[in-house]
Amino acid sequence: MKGILGVAFRQPAISRASQTLSPIASSSVQALNRISSCGHRRTSKARSFSTTASSSGEPSSIKLKYFSAWFCPFAHRATLALEHHQIPYQWEEALGWEKRAPSGDEEFSASERQDWWYHWKSPGLLAANPQGMVPTLLDETTGRAVTESLVCIEFIDELAASRTRTGQHGASSGVGMSAPPLLPSCPFERARARLAADAVNKSVTSAYYSVLM
């Protein structure tokens, strides 16, 4: 089975590991299992949830569309946060490449290459985020968008917490109720977590994406 980073792993080993991890780490491993079992959710037909829509903008009425890309390590982090908290969302695969004939505007002669591949971004992503970056979270009820992976993670964490506080969903819904927060309650520990996330962002995630490109 392929994991979220495209690395092969054995499902039983991941499941056993989750039993010995902290509650937050264990929940993230379980989310990783769910994502892997869905085959990366490469299309917009992947899991979709309905929410109560209204114009209030309250947490219970937010209807999230998640613009993502199965290969993007920045989006992987937001995906794990959404799965960790079981926040309802609709996935749209928003980045990729498509093969088409050369347009004549290229810097190379058409005879110099056999295949012509072009970077593609979905119209919905560009409408929600003109920079065309993933992850992008769009509240379809209000048209408001959240961008940048680390910002999206904190937004998801705060959204789950706000749904818990308002009590707009019953415990049986599993939305923002059962999973522990991603950031600790202590301000000093939160600062340490943010520093760790920033270090991983600079030394691991960015380097990994440069390899993909």
Side-chain angles (χ1 to χ4, degrees), residues 135-148:
T136 290
L137 295 169
L138 173 68
D139 177 9
E140 295 187 285
T141 303
T142 64
R144 294 178 297 184
V146 179
T147 63
E148 298 295 334

Side-chain angles (χ1 to χ4, degrees), residues 9-19 33:
F9 61 84
R10 293 183 179 180
Q11 184 78 19
I14 291 293
S15 299
R16 289 195 300 270
S18 67
Q19 298 174 2
N33 286 337

Side-chain angles (χ1 to χ4, degrees), residues 16-124:
R16 289 195 300 270
S18 67
Q19 298 174 2
T20 61
L21 296 173
S22 67
I24 294 178
S26 177
S27 180
S28 296
V29 168
Q30 293 169 10
L32 183 63
N33 286 337
R34 288 194 298 271
I35 297 165
S36 301
S37 67
C38 291
H40 304 303
R41 297 200 180 115
R42 299 191 184 201
T43 71
S44 60
K45 295 182 180 179
R47 189 181 72 172
S48 172
F49 300 87
S50 62
T51 57
T52 303
S54 73
S55 59
S56 65
E58 292 300 317
S60 62
S61 66
I62 291 177
K63 186 178 181 182
L64 283 181
K65 173 166 280 190
Y66 177 38
F67 296 98
S68 189
W70 69 268
F71 58 84
C72 178
F74 298 100
H76 293 164
R77 297 185 294 199
T79 305
L80 283 171
L82 286 165
E83 290 290 333
H84 173 79
H85 283 300
Q86 286 291 280
I87 296 291
Y89 67 91
Q90 182 181 26
W91 172 293
E92 179 171 315
E93 188 70 19
L95 293 182
W97 288 265
E98 61 182 1
K99 185 178 179 181
R100 61 177 186 262
S103 64
D105 297 328
E106 294 78 13
E107 297 179 357
F108 304 94
S109 169
S111 62
E112 295 180 22
R113 298 177 57 177
Q114 294 181 344
D115 296 323
W116 290 83
W117 292 88
Y118 295 82
H119 196 32
W120 173 86
K121 298 184 179 185
S122 75

Side-chain angles (χ1 to χ4, degrees), residues 142-154:
T142 64
R144 294 178 297 184
V146 179
T147 63
E148 298 295 334
S149 60
L150 293 180
V151 176
C152 286
I153 291 172
E154 292 201 31

Side-chain angles (χ1 to χ4, degrees), residues 147-196:
T147 63
E148 298 295 334
S149 60
L150 293 180
V151 176
C152 286
I153 291 172
E154 292 201 31
F155 168 78
I156 293 164
D157 211 31
E158 293 166 358
L159 180 61
S162 66
R163 289 184 170 187
T164 301
R165 287 194 300 270
T166 56
Q168 303 251 343
H169 291 266
S172 62
S173 69
V175 178
M177 298 291 288
S178 59
L182 295 170
L183 288 174
S185 59
C186 172
F188 288 98
E189 292 302 315
R190 280 203 303 272
R192 289 183 59 189
R194 290 186 175 108
L195 283 173

